[in-house]
């Protein structure tokens, strides 16, 4: 179980640990920062019940009515704020086209450009520790959309997910490849190991996937989110692979990003043409939600990037609990 970061997360963690205690109420949720670490740790903890859960927490707590009621209130606070901050009136084609435009030079706001050009090994280790919150369950949140799609969109989504899950080979599952990367970087690859170290800006990027995946009504936004990740992955992964080579991070660290350069270059075409295209051919009214999914992803990733670059340029750790360079 993670360490609480405020009254919301403390209430959730106490309830899960002990089975007792009053859960936070509507007033506490309404007064919380919708992008703050207390709300998002509480939400992350509740979402984790739908993934692997926690030691000593009974499986049936996943469907505890009181916990679900609190989760709904936390989600509403987060979702409403996202809609306000990530409003985007572009058509889908314009939003997707903007994702594939690579700047001719680094504008100073890109984490992958920074790491490729001048990132140090300690910064790559911090980046991997943070990203492990998603990459150790890579593609799992997106699998929830499969039963909510049909026809061309479903077939294409399954094809991409098949690659993400190793194309039938356990050793090639992308989550496993990331665990191998962590070993090369002298990090502990245990699932959830760096949750307590993750900064506030990291938690919403993972919670967004769970929010969109667990709600059928947000299937269009999840497809938009997925498209944003896949379309931007290949060039970003190329830069991160170069950063790993330049710093001597190790072969498994290089392989993870090399794999994404190749695979996601193909996935980009499939997701644009068949996943997004197929969804909107069946349900054209979801176009606005697809664009929202793209805009929300860009907004949250931008906040995280600002946090990382501000800390690293000042020569300080971007984590809440800095890594010990001599051990895991």
């Amino acid at each position: 179980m993670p360490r609480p970061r405020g009254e919301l997360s403390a209430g959730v963690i106490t309830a899960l640990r002990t089975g007792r205690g009053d859960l936070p109420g509507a007033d506490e949720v309404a007064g919380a920062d919708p992008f703050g670490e207390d709300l998002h740790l509480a939400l992350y903890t509740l979402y984790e019940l739908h993934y692997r859960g926690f030691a000593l927490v009974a499986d049936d707590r996943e469907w505890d009515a009181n916990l679900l009621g609190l989760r709904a209130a936390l989600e509403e606070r987060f979702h409403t704020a996202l809609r306000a901050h990530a409003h985007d009136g572009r058509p889908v084609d314009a939003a997707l086209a903007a994702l594939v435009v690579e700047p001719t030079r680094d504008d100073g706001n890109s984490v992958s450009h920074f790491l490729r050009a001048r990132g140090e090994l300690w910064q790559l280790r911090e980046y991997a520790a943070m990203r492990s919150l998603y990459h150790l369950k890579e593609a799992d949140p997106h699998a929830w959309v499969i039963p909510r799609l049909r026809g061309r969109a479903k077939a294409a989504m399954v094809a991409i997910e098949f690659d993400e899950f190793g194309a039938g080979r356990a050793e090639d599952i992308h989550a496993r490849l990331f665990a191998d990367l962590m070993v090369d970087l002298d990090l502990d690859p245990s699932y959830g190991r760096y949750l307590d170290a993750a900064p506030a800006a990291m938690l919403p990027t993972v919670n967004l996937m769970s929010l969109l995946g667990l709600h059928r009504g947000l299937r269009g936004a999840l497809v938009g989110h997925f498209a944003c990740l896949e379309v931007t992955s290949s060039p970003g992964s190329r830069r991160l692979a170069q950063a790993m080579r330049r710093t001597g991070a190790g072969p498994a660290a290089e392989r993870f990003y090399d794999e994404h350069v190749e695979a996601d270059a193909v996935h980009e075409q499939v997701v644009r043409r068949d996943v997004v295209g197929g969804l909107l051919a069946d349900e054209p009214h979801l176009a606005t939600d697809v664009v929202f999914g793209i805009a929300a992803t860009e907004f949250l990733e931008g906040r995280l990037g600002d946090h990382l670059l501000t800390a690293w340029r000042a020569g300080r750790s971007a984590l809440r609990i800095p890594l010990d360079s001599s051990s895991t």
Side-chain angles (χ1 to χ4, degrees), residues 295-306:
T297 306
E298 292 181 309
F299 170 71
L300 294 177
E301 287 292 335
R303 292 178 74 254
L304 176 60
D306 288 345

Side-chain angles (χ1 to χ4, degrees), residues 110-112 114-115 122-123 126-128 130-131 199 201-202 301-319:
S110 166
V111 172
S112 62
F114 174 90
L115 291 174
W122 69 269
Q123 293 163 334
E126 289 199 348
Y127 186 75
M130 276 183 278
R131 289 297 190 186
M202 182 65 213
E301 287 292 335
R303 292 178 74 254
L304 176 60
D306 288 345
H307 170 80
L308 298 181
L309 293 176
T310 298
W312 289 341
R313 284 172 176 151
R316 65 175 187 269
S317 173
L319 299 175

Side-chain angles (χ1 to χ4, degrees), residues 90-101:
R90 294 175 295 175
V92 173
D93 288 346
L96 290 173
L99 295 176
V100 300
V101 175

Side-chain angles (χ1 to χ4, degrees), residues 61-106:
R61 300 303 299 278
E62 178 182 8
W63 301 112
D64 181 287
N66 293 324
L67 293 175
L68 289 175
L70 174 59
R71 197 193 87 191
L74 296 169
E75 287 177 327
E76 178 63 23
R77 181 86 173 119
F78 177 38
H79 187 198
T80 299
L82 265 183
R83 291 280 182 181
H85 285 82
H87 178 72
D88 194 324
R90 294 175 295 175
V92 173
D93 288 346
L96 290 173
L99 295 176
V100 300
V101 175
E102 276 284 288
T104 57
R105 60 186 179 86
D106 180 11

Side-chain angles (χ1 to χ4, degrees), residues 1 4 7 60 65 81 86 94 122 125 161 168 205 207 227 249 252 288 303 324:
M1 297 290 291
E7 62 180 343
D60 61 5
W122 69 269
R125 294 181 73 238
E161 289 283 271
T205 68
N207 283 343
T288 301
R303 292 178 74 254
D324 178 354

Side-chain angles (χ1 to χ4, degrees), residues 179-203:
D180 295 341
L181 171 150
M182 295 181 75
V183 172
D184 264 6
L185 291 173
D186 193 27
L187 295 169
D188 184 346
S190 302
Y191 184 85
R193 167 66 174 80
Y194 295 103
L195 176 55
D196 283 329
M202 182 65 213
L203 299 179

Side-chain angles (χ1 to χ4, degrees), residues 17 27 41 49 54 62 130 133 135-136 156 169 191 220 285 326:
R17 275 181 172 154
D27 289 343
L41 181 60
L49 300 176
F54 296 98
E62 178 182 8
M130 276 183 278
L133 270 62
H135 281 305
L136 291 179
R169 296 181 295 274
Y191 184 85
H285 63 283
S326 65

